[in-house]
Amino acid sequence: MNPITPIINGMKITLKHMFMKPVTLQYPTERPKVAIRFRGLHALNVSHDKAKCVACYLCPTVCPAKCITVEAAEDANHDKYATVYEIDMLRCIFCGYCVEACPVDAVKMTEEFELANYNRKDFIYSKERLLVKK
Amino acid sequence: MVNLTIDDKQVTAPKSATIYEAATLNGVKIPILCHDKKLLPFGACRMCLVEVEQMKGRQIPACTTPVTEGMIIRTSTPDIVKARKMVLELLLLNHPLDCPVCDKSGDCDLQNLTYEYQVNSNRFTDAKFNHEIDYNNPLIERDMNRCVLCGKCARICDEIVSFGALTFIDRGIETKIGCEFEEGLNCEFCGSCISVCPVGSLLARPFKHKARFWALTKHKSVCGYCGTGCNLTLGVKDNKVLTTIYDENQGFHKGQLCVRGRFGYQFISSEKRLTTPLVRKNGRLVESTWDEALELVAGRLKGGSNVAALATPRLTNEELALFKKLLVENVGTKNFDHAAGYAHAALTEGFARSFGAAASSASILDIQKSDLLLVIKTDSYETHPVVGFEINMAVKNRGAKLSILSDKRGKLSKLPQAQTLLHRPGSEVAILNAIARVLIVDKLASATAVTIAGYAELVKALSGFTAETVATQVGISAADIKKLASDYAAAEKALIIFPAGQAYSGHNADLATAAANLALLTGKYDKEGCGVLCLSEKNNSQGAVDMGFIPQEGGLNALQILDACADGSVKTLFIAGENPLTSYPSLAKVKAAFEALEFLVVSELFLTETAAKADVVLPVCSFAEKDGTFTSTDRRVQYFKSAIRKSVHIKTDYEIFSNLVTRLGGAVPPTPALLFNEIAAKTPGYQGMSHVSLRKEGAFAPVATKPEFVAPQAAAPFTAETGKLALVTGSALYHNGTLSEHGEGPMHVCPENYVELSRADASLYKIAEGDLVTVASATGSMQLKARVTPRMPAGVVFSPYHFSEAPINTIWSGSPVTAVTVSK
Ligand code: SF4
Ligand code: SF4
Ligand code: SF4
Ligand code: SF4
Ligand code: SF4
Ligand code: FES
């Protein structure tokens, strides 16, 4: 092969790219488009002003990273609800098993992916933080 | 044995077996829903359908059909699977299917079978049930919407518990399980019904929603309350005991428990447990270090014979043996005892002289082999409820005769054909003596009785106890005494049962001897289904006796120790787990003793009244946090392992004692396992036992008897002056000792002390149920809630002893019967 050919080929690619739309996302000024089935931060669904979660313990049971903590109690109407619902985002592997396991469609995964924080304890998402806001 | 074919496999089974039992014996699994091996066959659910070739392939229930020779059985043909699926579909038709919020999920037979048979859809549709859920009591929730009408709850409550709180009501599609007048459940709360319910209809409320079944680790253990020695499975999560779990293969009682064993576990993981050693400084108990506390204690223990010790028979055998070693060898004192000194007298003095061994000559298993049970005091049920279940079953299922001598009626007197002889309180020994005399005079005694040492002296000593004279003193007729004697003599196998304990001071050496005499006279001992069974009170009462933690030659007994504290001859008292301020007779005396003491050390789980008076309080472990052995009332030595890790700043009693041994200059004691080997080598009957050999199952320590007749002293009959009532103390069904005060279950159903009186006395003194009445004796007076019950005879009142808030020892100084006045 002519020793010059590879150089010309390389230059071709360079020249072509000079006139293409750049792929780099200028995060954070530019925002990515998140696919609808993206598995981001969890959220607890709300119905009738209450978390739908009935504290069945299926999500902590199925969770492979064992990062969900649920504690159940009985409310005044003898209904079961979660007094504690916590997810440790440092350990979560965003597999989505919890969503799949939930028998009452109480937990979902949102498009939220910006989870960085300064403190370890801030990665523990309590029930209040996870509840879907109106 | 019969030969049969199950699923093309040639097998044999006992003649009396059902197809289900034959299959289980031979490792073939047949699904069941309504069957329980403890209960009579019922055949309600049709899950266990099998095909029998001889019956033209018809589908029949395996759990109710007996096997016959040559039967050819198929247990899972496609037709059977189809039929079982249909059964499940029909059950699920009205079932709420709220598994996510149902505590049974994970341990639910219906759920498991639905999964196994892949019942994913239902061909039928119908409305769900809409029964009201019973939240009326704090221990058992009843949600009849989930019920599959297997009837197990109603059957166990009738067949074994003999309470009969539950039954089927209504018919057809309306059928449900209900209580009397369709009201809320109000029973003795043994929880047996919960344990057998295959679904989530009956649930333990103290555990409700606490954890999922699969998240619990299951630890086998031994109940820490009474001497029955029931086996337990503790459900543990995050190092906390959250519940007890039913295991139908555990123990002689097949997993059955009483209210205390099942619902009284909360003391283990209670927030109120002591967590650090406390030392009294400037009059106040302040937190301290183990080093400081133990150094202080060791310094005081150098006092030699001015040191005394009281231990609770809830400690393990190893701890009691080491404590004794510490006291005898390192401290140099002979003053130690347990259980107020008299609660073990039936064994240590009574049986010791009559049978030559400080142990019962019969076991709990003998109840099922006996033809006649002579129970002294109906309280035997309350003190040892699971022994009570055995009595229920013997009487109801096998038709054993039940004769009761008691100062009050009770649950046992309601059993079919039970003969209850109600006598004046405190006259048991006189009656037993009269029976013995009838046996001798009417020639009902066995021919060999005369050869037993002491026969002639006994005959002489009993001469005053003619049935007629005794009858006039005790309030039962001479004919009844004679009938009881002839029944006892006529029964091929007869067993005498009586409870002992700190509240039963009358159940002493004389009572044990008097009962033993009957067995010796008729030769009904050392044989299957015969003998005398003393139900000792605490989980390791028999162990404390076997370890020799009893008054020594030249040493003081428990009550003498208290006197010696008061007069200053004992200066340092080490109390390991006892709570004399509540459970020993005569509060004033105990208080005076503590007041005079120079130094009081208490090792305890909780800051009890007694611990609050101490100079040093040492926090110790409960049975769930340590390893060791307990010896049940019938000498079953049972090993148990810790179920949870102990918290960092507490120690086991064993660690404390061994630390003190070394501080006092002794050699480092061996580990509990090695010490147990030493114990086993020298304790009669324990030979060959070790922690390893006991790991799987407890073992009986056999009792070698050397019979001898001793004439028992009968107390003078109690006669109350006019206007006075006879107070008898005892145990309440829901409690055992003072430990159960820290169990939520027992406290939910029986939270405070009470005085139980007859309807006659209630109307005489114009007292209604629930009234606060003043009960006064010669030594004091106190206010108690009145309970008016039909079981008390006129002139007799009863009060239990477990409650520190209103301790009965305010008015009771240890006599079997106390004269009291009751007024509003
Ligand atoms: S699976 Fe759903 S209902 Fe169950 S605990 Fe998790 S979020 Fe709650
Ligand atoms: S009883 Fe069983 S099947 Fe029914 S809701 Fe409870 S766990 Fe589910
Ligand atoms: S708790 Fe015991 S006494 Fe009460 S209903 Fe159940 S089985 Fe019967
Ligand atoms: S409550 Fe439970 S044990 Fe009783 S009949 Fe219903 S399913 Fe059976
Ligand atoms: S308290 Fe006694 S009868 Fe009740 S479960 Fe415990 S050992 Fe058994
Ligand atoms: S288990 Fe045989 S009919 Fe229910």
Side-chain angles (χ1 to χ4, degrees):
Chain A
M1 198 200 280
N2 191 331
I4 218 84
T5 320
I7 299 176
I8 293 174
N9 281 345
M11 292 305 279
K12 256 201 232 158
I13 292 172
T14 312
L15 273 168
K16 195 169 103 199
H17 276 265
M18 280 175 70
F19 300 102
M20 268 171 64
K21 209 171 151 248
V23 291
T24 312
L25 189 69
Q26 292 301 317
Y27 181 83
T29 39
E30 284 177 48
R31 311 293 302 175
K33 201 171 154 285
V34 179
I36 43 166
R37 295 181 65 184
F38 179 76
R39 301 195 296 264
L41 178 68
H42 304 71
L44 288 174
N45 286 330
V46 172
S47 149
H48 297 89
D49 289 331
K50 273 204 313 211
K52 277 173 93 176
C53 170
V54 293
C56 72
Y57 287 82
L58 286 191
C59 52
T61 305
V62 77
C63 177
K66 294 280 164 270
C67 64
I68 309 179
T69 310
V70 176
E71 271 172 37
E74 202 177 12
D75 68 12
N77 301 323
H78 299 289
D79 287 332
K80 195 179 183 188
Y81 76 106
T83 43
V84 174
Y85 190 100
E86 253 173 34
I87 304 183
D88 182 349
M89 288 304 163
L90 285 175
R91 294 175 69 188
C92 177
I93 56 170
F94 300 94
C95 61
Y97 279 13
C98 47
V99 180
E100 211 176 306
C102 183
V104 294
D105 184 31
V107 64
K108 64 177 178 188
M109 287 178 120
T110 61
E111 296 165 9
E112 175 79 46
F113 61 88
E114 291 159 304
L115 305 175
N117 229 320
Y118 292 102
N119 271 316
R120 281 186 166 266
K121 68 173 193 306
D122 292 333
F123 287 94
I124 315 265
Y125 280 69
S126 67
K127 187 174 174 188
E128 280 59 49
R129 280 171 82 190
L130 290 167
L131 280 179
V132 170
K133 305 287 168 327
K134 278 205 195 128
Chain B
M1 290 306 241
V2 293
N3 300 302
L4 60 159
T5 315
I6 303 179
D7 288 345
D8 301 324
K9 214 167 94 186
Q10 295 289 331
V11 298
T12 55
K15 229 170 152 179
S16 60
T18 60
I19 296 179
Y20 172 74
E21 283 160 358
T24 314
L25 269 178
N26 291 289
V28 179
K29 197 175 152 263
I30 297 177
I32 50 168
L33 205 50
C34 74
H35 183 69
D36 189 296
K37 64 178 179 188
K38 289 198 291 294
L39 302 173
L40 301 175
F42 194 58
C45 72
R46 310 279 136 168
M47 255 328 277
C48 62
L49 291 177
V50 293
E51 279 176 13
V52 176
E53 208 168 285
Q54 283 85 344
M55 300 188 181
K56 305 196 185 83
R58 250 190 299 140
Q59 295 175 344
I60 52 160
C63 68
T64 53
T65 314
V67 290
T68 52
E69 181 66 37
M71 241 185 189
I72 301 171
I73 300 157
R74 270 183 234 313
T75 68
S76 54
T77 63
D79 277 351
I80 295 173
V81 172
K82 226 168 108 187
R84 289 186 187 148
K85 267 188 158 171
M86 167 91 129
V87 166
L88 288 169
E89 271 180 278
L90 290 171
L91 284 176
L92 295 171
L93 183 56
N94 311 99
H95 195 85
L97 278 178
D98 48 7
C99 305
V101 294
C102 174
D103 265 356
K104 193 73 177 177
S105 185
D107 183 31
C108 172
D109 290 354
L110 180 62
Q111 198 183 46
N112 290 345
L113 288 168
T114 303
Y115 186 77
E116 187 182 334
Y117 284 87
Q118 299 173 12
V119 187
N120 306 321
S121 57
N122 208 323
R123 279 171 282 169
F124 315 102
T125 47
D126 194 13
K128 300 286 175 193
F129 290 128
N130 192 16
H131 298 306
E132 204 182 313
I133 301 175
D134 175 5
Y135 297 110
N136 281 313
N137 71 78
L139 295 182
I140 300 175
E141 172 182 308
R142 292 191 316 123
D143 181 348
M144 286 308 119
N145 301 306
R146 294 177 187 148
C147 174
V148 293
L149 296 173
C150 70
K152 280 204 243 178
C153 53
R155 283 147 62 208
I156 202 162
C157 191
D158 171 35
E159 288 173 27
I160 296 181
V161 185
S162 197
F163 191 95
L166 302 165
T167 185
F168 287 107
I169 50 178
D170 293 338
R171 290 289 173 272
I173 190 82
E174 304 282 310
T175 315
K176 64 176 176 193
I177 294 282
C179 308
E180 50 182 4
F181 306 113
E182 295 211 33
E183 286 185 351
L185 182 65
N186 188 7
C187 61
E188 66 179 60
F189 299 112
C190 64
S192 301
C193 49
I194 303 182
S195 62
V196 292
C197 182
V199 291
S201 276
L202 299 167
L203 293 171
R205 293 188 77 188
F207 174 61
K208 201 175 169 199
H209 300 337
K210 289 256 162 65
R212 281 310 204 179
F213 182 76
W214 59 82
L216 296 172
T217 12
K218 286 104 192 159
H219 292 274
K220 292 201 185 310
S221 191
V222 177
C223 178
Y225 282 112
C226 86
T228 309
C230 298
N231 295 17
L232 283 181
T233 303
L234 298 172
V236 174
K237 193 185 160 206
D238 300 334
N239 208 38
K240 268 197 172 155
V241 174
L242 293 183
T243 186
T244 51
I245 294 169
Y246 171 60
D247 175 355
E248 62 168 2
N249 296 318
Q250 243 187 330
F252 75 90
H253 49 102
K254 307 205 177 64
Q256 287 288 109
L257 299 174
C258 77
V259 59
R260 316 181 293 229
R262 190 182 309 277
F263 290 117
Y265 53 83
Q266 296 87 349
F267 71 91
I268 300 167
S269 299
S270 165
E271 303 271 302
K272 295 200 198 114
R273 284 277 299 272
L274 289 167
T275 51
T276 52
L278 306 173
V279 167
R280 192 169 294 278
K281 285 181 187 154
N282 302 324
R284 279 185 47 237
L285 280 174
V286 292
E287 295 193 355
S288 165
T289 62
W290 275 103
D291 212 43
E292 185 190 2
L294 287 174
E295 196 51 46
L296 254 173
V297 175
R300 293 296 317 201
L301 289 185
K302 293 192 180 119
S305 65
N306 71 31
V307 178
L310 299 171
T312 170
R314 294 201 195 283
L315 299 186
T316 64
N317 286 326
E318 294 76 4
E319 287 168 343
L320 288 162
L322 182 61
F323 197 15
K324 181 174 172 184
K325 215 167 155 178
L326 164 73
L327 293 163
V328 176
E329 291 174 17
N330 306 96
V331 177
T333 177
K334 287 178 177 170
N335 308 326
F336 52 85
D337 200 355
H338 74 276
Y342 56 79
H344 56 69
L347 301 171
T348 50
E349 295 168 34
F351 286 167
R353 63 191 187 200
S354 293
F355 290 123
S360 295
S361 64
S363 89
I364 296 172
L365 305 183
D366 284 312
I367 296 174
Q368 294 309 339
K369 297 172 190 151
S370 190
D371 303 319
L372 182 138
L373 304 170
L374 171 56
V375 176
I376 300 169
K377 281 222 173 67
T378 51
D379 304 44
S380 302
Y381 188 88
E382 278 87 346
T383 55
H384 295 70
V386 173
V387 173
F389 293 169
E390 295 292 318
I391 300 177
N392 291 342
M393 285 189 277
V395 174
K396 292 178 77 146
N397 302 350
R398 283 195 313 108
K401 277 197 186 165
L402 176 62
S403 300
I404 304 167
L405 275 180
S406 184
D407 50 12
K408 55 190 156 309
R409 279 174 211 289
K411 195 175 157 191
L412 289 178
S413 10
K414 293 185 196 155
L415 284 173
Q417 322 287 331
Q419 297 273 338
T420 310
L421 297 186
L422 271 191
H423 58 76
R424 289 205 189 109
S427 47
E428 295 85 356
V429 180
I431 300 171
L432 292 176
N433 279 351
I435 296 174
R437 191 172 178 281
V438 174
L439 291 176
I440 295 170
V441 173
D442 291 0
K443 312 246 174 316
L444 297 168
S446 83
T448 51
V450 283
T451 61
I452 298 174
Y455 182 79
E457 290 84 347
L458 179 75
V459 173
K460 209 155 106 218
L462 292 182
S463 63
F465 291 92
T466 63
E468 286 71 21
T469 28
V470 171
T472 54
Q473 294 166 353
V474 304
I476 51 181
S477 74
D480 279 340
I481 295 181
K482 286 184 178 153
K483 167 123 195 324
L484 189 50
S486 61
D487 282 353
Y488 180 76
E492 198 186 321
K493 300 172 191 165
L495 178 64
I496 305 177
I497 302 173
F498 67 90
Q502 277 167 236
Y504 297 95
S505 49
H507 289 200
N508 52 12
D510 290 311
L511 183 86
T513 327
N517 285 342
L518 302 190
L520 296 181
L521 278 171
T522 52
K524 291 188 173 52
Y525 65 100
D526 267 0
K527 279 195 296 202
E528 191 184 78
C530 296
V532 189
L533 177 61
C534 165
L535 302 173
S536 45
E537 188 178 21
K538 308 270 168 62
N539 52 336
N540 202 26
S541 290
Q542 181 66 47
V545 171
D546 290 347
M547 294 308 113
F549 207 89
I550 48 176
Q552 306 293 302
E553 220 26 83
L556 303 174
N557 70 26
L559 296 181
Q560 289 163 344
I561 288 174
L562 290 182
D563 288 335
C565 295
D567 71 26
S569 48
V570 163
K571 295 189 165 53
T572 301
L573 181 61
F574 193 143
I575 299 187
E578 289 271 77
N579 188 3
L581 280 174
T582 301
S583 66
Y584 279 36
S586 186
L587 181 60
K589 201 170 130 177
V590 182
K591 272 191 180 157
F594 286 1
E595 224 90 305
L597 263 179
E598 278 178 20
F599 197 76
L600 176 64
V601 191
V602 176
S603 65
E604 250 299 350
L605 303 178
F606 295 93
L607 194 67
T608 58
E609 305 63 48
T610 302
K613 290 259 184 286
D615 296 282
V616 174
V617 182
L618 306 171
V620 290
C621 297
S622 69
F623 74 98
E625 293 144 311
K626 61 190 178 192
D627 298 9
T629 56
F630 288 148
T631 306
S632 72
T633 184
D634 54 352
R635 296 247 288 179
R636 245 169 313 127
V637 187
Q638 310 195 90
Y639 171 74
F640 59 95
K641 267 176 86 70
S642 60
I644 55 175
R645 270 171 288 112
K646 62 186 167 77
S647 91
V648 277
H649 294 304
I650 67 172
K651 287 189 193 295
T652 62
D653 286 276
Y654 197 90
E655 287 168 331
I656 293 174
F657 301 146
S658 44
N659 191 306
L660 289 171
V661 168
T662 44
R663 272 175 206 266
L664 291 176
V668 183
T671 61
L674 291 176
L675 184 72
F676 185 76
N677 294 343
E678 287 177 25
I679 294 170
K682 60 169 201 261
T683 312
Y686 284 51
Q687 276 79 11
M689 292 182 190
S690 70
H691 280 187
V692 177
S693 78
L694 297 173
R695 193 151 289 212
K696 237 186 121 215
E697 212 180 15
F700 279 105
V703 184
T705 52
K706 200 164 94 321
E708 184 175 339
F709 284 116
V710 180
Q713 296 285 315
F718 176 86
T719 40
E721 303 152 37
T722 40
K724 296 227 165 146
L725 300 170
L727 167 74
V728 290
T729 51
S731 272
L733 174 62
Y734 307 99
H735 289 276
N736 178 265
T738 54
L739 180 64
S740 50
E741 270 203 300
H742 303 280
E744 276 170 33
M747 289 311 269
H748 273 315
V749 283
C750 185
E752 56 182 357
N753 206 352
Y754 57 87
V755 58
E756 208 175 331
L757 69 171
S758 67
R759 285 177 178 162
D761 291 326
S763 69
L764 183 66
Y765 296 103
K766 308 215 167 29
I767 294 166
E769 175 83 20
D771 282 353
L772 210 54
V773 294
T774 308
V775 186
S777 73
T779 53
S781 91
M782 66 194 298
Q783 293 223 303
L784 291 171
K785 272 241 177 82
R787 278 197 193 172
V788 182
T789 55
R791 76 179 190 124
M792 301 302 300
V796 183
V797 296
F798 166 81
S799 184
Y801 86 107
H802 321 279
F803 302 92
S804 53
E805 290 278 309
I808 195 67
N809 60 6
T810 323
I811 55 173
W812 168 67
S813 8
S815 55
V817 196
T818 311
V820 293
T821 57
V822 176
S823 57
K824 224 158 84 168

